[in-house]
Amino acid sequence: MKVDMDAILKKAQTYLDSSEGQKQIQQAARGAIMGNVTFQTASGHGYSIRQAANKFIETLRGSIAASGLSAGVASALNEIEYDAPVDNGDGTFSINIHFVGNLKRKSLYDEEYPEGVDNLAALYNNGVDHMMSPVYGTWHGELAHSRTVIPGLHFIEQAKQSFMAADAAKYGVIDIQLGDDYK
């Protein structure tokens, strides 16, 4: 018995290219992706959105590690998680990725700035350049002054660029949108 594999593959490809074949592919991909995941991804790429999210988190952690942050700040930024994937209803899925560690830090001058720093990730990612005098206070038992200039390290944008260049196509990621705090 001789099997014509080329003819079988041609018929399979014709079906897959048809509207019914595409519909069946999307339904199967939705089931696989929702059992696993993405940011905004297209279906049919073979990886789940959760796999894509984990790869992006790995890339982000590498970007944080390479940014030159102190060990204490880098450790606070290493706690990263993602939410449940959301079906956008158009064949794409979205997933939110966020820092979960304690990103708040006390102020050196509690009387004037009782809230302190509320988002270390945004502070070090974006940087700050104050036109003000430094604030003085006690930090770990020592008299210290605040920095009035903190250069933006842009580790989140670097992670996005690295992921989109190296891994987006593999994981079917269409876009990564940064929250307003990180732009």
Side-chain angles (χ1 to χ4, degrees):
M1 171 183 234
K2 186 174 180 184
V3 175
D4 186 353
M5 286 304 293
D6 288 335
I8 292 171
L9 290 173
K10 186 175 180 180
K11 285 181 183 183
Q13 189 62 53
T14 300
Y15 174 76
L16 291 174
D17 291 339
S18 72
S19 61
E20 185 169 326
Q22 287 297 306
K23 183 178 175 182
Q24 193 169 7
I25 289 170
Q26 286 184 351
Q27 287 173 341
R30 277 195 182 105
I33 289 175
M34 292 310 287
N36 294 313
V37 62
T38 228
F39 319 80
Q40 185 175 359
T41 66
S43 58
H45 49 78
Y47 288 91
S48 76
I49 192 166
R50 286 190 172 96
Q51 288 172 311
N54 282 324
K55 182 62 178 176
F56 177 74
I57 289 170
E58 178 185 312
T59 302
L60 178 55
R61 285 183 176 139
S63 183
I64 291 167
S67 70
L69 287 168
S70 71
V73 173
S75 174
L77 300 183
N78 247 346
E79 294 182 53
I80 307 166
E81 292 180 355
Y82 54 81
D83 298 329
V86 175
D87 185 340
N88 297 326
D90 60 358
T92 65
F93 297 84
S94 297
I95 191 166
N96 290 319
I97 297 172
H98 49 90
F99 295 96
V100 293
N102 179 5
L103 299 180
K104 292 183 69 81
R105 291 299 180 266
K106 285 184 53 155
S107 172
L108 286 174
Y109 188 40
D110 287 332
E111 295 79 20
E112 185 70 27
Y113 305 101
E115 298 300 314
V117 174
D118 66 345
N119 188 337
L120 280 179
L123 175 68
Y124 285 102
N125 183 71
N126 304 340
V128 67
D129 189 355
H130 292 297
M131 296 307 263
M132 63 178 233
S133 299
V135 173
Y136 292 89
T138 304
W139 188 255
H140 298 289
E142 301 282 328
L143 183 62
H145 65 85
S146 65
R147 294 168 52 188
T148 57
V149 175
I150 298 173
L153 300 173
H154 307 288
F155 49 84
I156 297 173
E157 294 94 334
Q158 289 171 357
K160 176 183 175 178
Q161 290 171 356
S162 294
F163 181 89
M164 293 304 287
D167 298 307
K170 175 180 176 181
Y171 289 95
V173 173
I174 299 166
D175 189 24
I176 299 172
Q177 297 175 356
L178 302 181
D180 290 340
D181 286 352
Y182 305 109
K183 291 182 180 177

